[in-house]
Amino acid sequence: MGGARVRLAFDFVDFSSICSNCSNNCCRRFYAVLLPEEEGEFSESSFEIPTPLGCVRAIGSRDGKPCPYLDEAGRCGIYRNRPLDCRLWPVMLYYDFKTGERVVYLDLDCPAASEGRIPRELIDTIVGELKKLVIDEDWLKRYTLAPWPNNLAELCRLRP
Ligand code: SF4
């Protein structure tokens, strides 16, 4: 499945009203890891993130600078075409190295997540789509190991 088709499956995810006026803009603080099928599309703006199992590629904040796609008003200039990681966060899918399960988390570094302002129905719909997502397991392991604050609350487990 190409990057555009993966993103299309998650086109319903729109956090713009939840994110508006956020003073803690994630796009100024964090990077977003690209799916293997998204790497070609963002080759000019992406950079490598090393992990113990090899590199992943990412866009977003780097060296204290905001994501180059962020405009002065704090909005994403490619919102309709933003990568899946940008689209889903603060929902995250990680690999559990102990059990081999895929685990869905809510990242409490997002103020809306920590304050309970993300509708449960939206999270449940995202989880439903994540269950159907075909994703490269080696990439998911590297993604899981990419350095991250890991202020995570477990939502559910997707059993293989
Ligand atoms: S691509 Fe858009 S959503 Fe993703 S980090 Fe950059 S500005 Fe934020």
Side-chain angles (χ1 to χ4, degrees):
M1 194 189 268
R5 287 182 60 199
V6 173
R7 294 201 297 272
L8 198 59
F10 291 88
D11 210 28
F12 65 91
V13 183
D14 187 346
F15 285 123
S16 53
S17 60
I18 295 170
C19 298
S20 65
N21 303 320
C22 179
S23 59
N24 210 350
N25 196 306
C26 51
C27 310
R28 297 185 195 281
R29 298 188 292 141
F30 298 131
Y31 58 79
V33 177
L34 299 168
L35 289 167
E37 50 269 58
E38 291 173 328
E39 289 179 1
E41 196 178 334
F42 294 99
S43 58
E44 308 225 325
S45 51
S46 63
F47 47 89
E48 279 192 345
I49 303 286
T51 88
L53 293 179
C55 290
V56 288
R57 292 200 71 82
I59 63 170
S61 172
R62 187 186 191 192
D63 298 331
K65 296 194 192 108
C67 176
Y69 294 110
L70 195 68
D71 69 16
E72 286 179 3
R75 288 187 296 251
C76 175
I78 57 165
Y79 198 71
R80 289 305 306 271
N81 294 313
R82 67 202 187 285
L84 186 69
D85 204 19
C86 301
R87 201 168 285 260
L88 296 187
W89 197 82
V91 177
M92 300 182 82
L93 179 68
Y94 271 168
Y95 181 82
D96 186 329
F97 285 88
K98 288 190 186 130
T99 65
E101 295 165 318
R102 295 175 179 197
V103 188
V104 185
Y105 294 96
L106 198 59
D107 193 336
L108 302 182
D109 262 310
C110 167
S114 63
E115 292 161 14
R117 289 190 281 111
I118 302 184
R120 186 68 213 196
E121 309 78 56
L122 177 56
I123 292 172
D124 288 346
T125 311
I126 291 173
V127 170
E129 285 301 320
L130 283 174
K131 283 181 183 160
K132 296 186 243 165
L133 184 64
V134 177
I135 207 160
D136 180 86
E137 192 145 289
D138 288 335
W139 174 85
L140 188 63
K141 290 175 182 173
R142 294 198 301 278
Y143 173 79
T144 301
L145 293 172
W148 198 253
N150 286 327
N151 187 15
L152 307 176
E154 183 175 322
L155 287 174
C156 65
R157 289 177 170 258
L158 312 182
R159 302 211 149 76

